[in-house]
Amino acid sequence: MQAQELIESYVDDVARRLPRKVRNDVGLELRALLGDQLKAAAAEAGCQPDERMAIDLVHRFGRPDDVVSSYRERGFNLIEPGDAPLFVKLATICVGLQWALTLPAVFAGTSTFSAWWVSWGFGALAWPGALVLWFAAAAWVRRVSPVDPDTRRRPWTHWIFWLPMSEDWQPTLVRRPGAREVKLQIALAALATGFFAAPAWFLDLFVADASWARYDGDFGRWLLAPLIGLMVARLALFVAITADPRRRAPTEKLRFGLWAALVGLLYWSAFSWTIFAAPAVDAPFKAWLSVFLLVNTLQIVAWLRRARTRVRAPASRA
């Protein structure tokens, strides 16, 4: 990673923690400030700016959470800004697990949706409430007994309501898969698409009778073709990008649109349609599909958040 790319990554990480109305202005100011400091450090060392020099600079400048706190009015927060992402993840996992473990009863017909909602469904929302109390108590303990600024040691009271402390910032490294790994991904995606298109036919190749894996007639008639079309389109784009990586940036929005459309159609399929004709197959498949959709929803939200928190230079005016 080049020194300037590292600085921009650090600035974006700080910016996504700031209020939206000041995010871009503060980000541009911070990028210019760090850029000037990097040039000054390079001039003093008599060399060109490099990655190690940029890393040392941002570490001296401070953790993103500490930098953000200097732009906020200091007050008591039930959940400190730096702990908010962890709170959202824990709350989502707790609620998602309770729903994923109890929703199969609704799909299997042993419970109604209204009965599930007034018990396990709505009851899962107690998890965020309990976590708010825990995070608020941890924030109060940290304020009463702060970390030693010299040794960075935490007082023993921090362990009563333990929460992880933010570490020194490190750049996010983007790993590029090798050619063999890409080919394997394409093969697995093609195999999964083919299996989803006709699971009964595919399983007939290996077992004597796979009639239990046949789709419901209405689902196969109305929704299967659009779902397969979206899967094939995503696979084709992946192959095209693999052949020419320059297509990645121009097709980013198209790839996201196909992904969001596929997830939305799967949501509709799971909650409004009978997918497999056999109830004993339909219920566990929908339970698995609920977890799959939850994971993809979190990934979509993360993608949107990253896209909206990039610091962009204002458009030049003629």
Side-chain angles (χ1 to χ4, degrees):
M1 182 177 286
Q2 300 294 324
Q4 187 58 37
E5 291 178 346
L6 194 147
I7 293 294
E8 292 178 2
S9 176
Y10 175 80
V11 171
D12 285 341
D13 204 10
V14 173
R16 68 171 52 99
R17 292 166 164 82
L18 290 167
R20 190 179 306 168
K21 62 181 180 180
V22 300
R23 180 178 296 156
N24 211 63
D25 291 340
V26 171
L28 291 173
E29 176 186 343
L30 184 59
R31 180 188 293 172
L33 174 63
L34 290 173
D36 291 341
Q37 291 186 6
L38 182 63
K39 292 178 181 177
E44 183 178 350
C47 62
Q48 292 295 320
D50 57 21
E51 180 179 341
R52 184 68 262 166
M53 193 177 295
I55 285 284
D56 292 340
L57 173 63
V58 298
H59 282 178
R60 290 196 304 271
F61 202 80
R63 300 183 179 97
D65 291 333
D66 297 334
V67 176
V68 168
S69 65
S70 64
Y71 290 97
R72 294 179 181 271
E73 293 183 4
R74 193 61 177 170
F76 181 76
N77 299 301
L78 288 178
I79 301 175
E80 294 291 348
D83 295 329
L86 176 63
F87 171 81
V88 172
K89 290 178 182 177
L90 289 177
T92 302
I93 289 172
C94 292
V95 173
L97 280 176
Q98 182 161 321
W99 285 359
L101 293 174
T102 56
L103 265 176
V106 177
F107 295 134
T110 59
S111 176
T112 63
F113 181 82
S114 58
W116 170 83
W117 176 249
V118 299
S119 56
W120 294 108
F122 186 76
L125 301 182
W127 285 109
L131 289 171
V132 165
L133 295 178
W134 184 276
F135 276 68
W140 180 79
V141 169
R142 286 180 179 180
R143 285 172 179 265
V144 173
S145 304
V147 175
D148 189 301
D150 297 322
T151 64
R152 307 299 296 174
R153 290 181 179 177
R154 302 173 66 174
W156 68 269
T157 51
H158 283 210
W159 303 99
I160 300 175
F161 297 97
W162 180 86
L163 286 178
M165 300 286 285
S166 59
E167 301 293 337
D168 284 335
W169 183 85
Q170 296 294 336
T172 301
L173 300 178
V174 180
R175 187 181 68 86
R176 300 294 183 186
R180 181 177 299 180
E181 185 178 349
V182 169
K183 292 178 181 178
L184 180 61
Q185 290 176 353
I186 293 175
L188 290 176
L191 183 64
T193 302
F195 179 81
F196 193 81
W201 175 86
F202 190 90
L203 291 174
D204 273 333
L205 301 175
F206 305 97
V207 298
D209 181 17
S211 58
W212 48 269
R214 299 190 185 282
Y215 287 127
D216 177 77
D218 288 338
F219 174 81
R221 186 179 305 111
W222 299 107
L223 284 186
L224 185 59
L227 284 170
I228 296 300
L230 287 171
M231 295 173 71
V232 170
R234 295 189 68 212
L235 178 59
L237 269 178
F238 181 62
V239 172
I241 292 170
T242 301
D244 185 0
R246 291 175 297 180
R247 297 190 178 109
R248 178 177 296 276
T251 61
E252 183 179 19
K253 292 183 178 179
L254 175 60
R255 286 184 287 116
F256 176 78
L258 291 173
W259 180 25
L262 178 62
V263 171
L265 198 54
L266 286 174
Y267 265 113
W268 190 34
S269 302
F271 292 99
S272 300
W273 293 73
T274 300
I275 298 177
F276 285 93
V281 179
D282 192 59
F285 177 78
K286 285 184 174 179
W288 170 83
L289 186 59
S290 298
V291 177
F292 173 82
L293 290 173
L294 175 63
V295 171
N296 275 264
T297 300
L298 293 176
Q299 291 175 336
I300 287 174
V301 171
W303 188 95
L304 289 171
R305 187 168 180 266
R306 286 195 300 268
R308 297 179 66 178
T309 54
R310 294 172 187 162
V311 176
R312 298 175 176 85
S316 58
R317 297 180 179 178

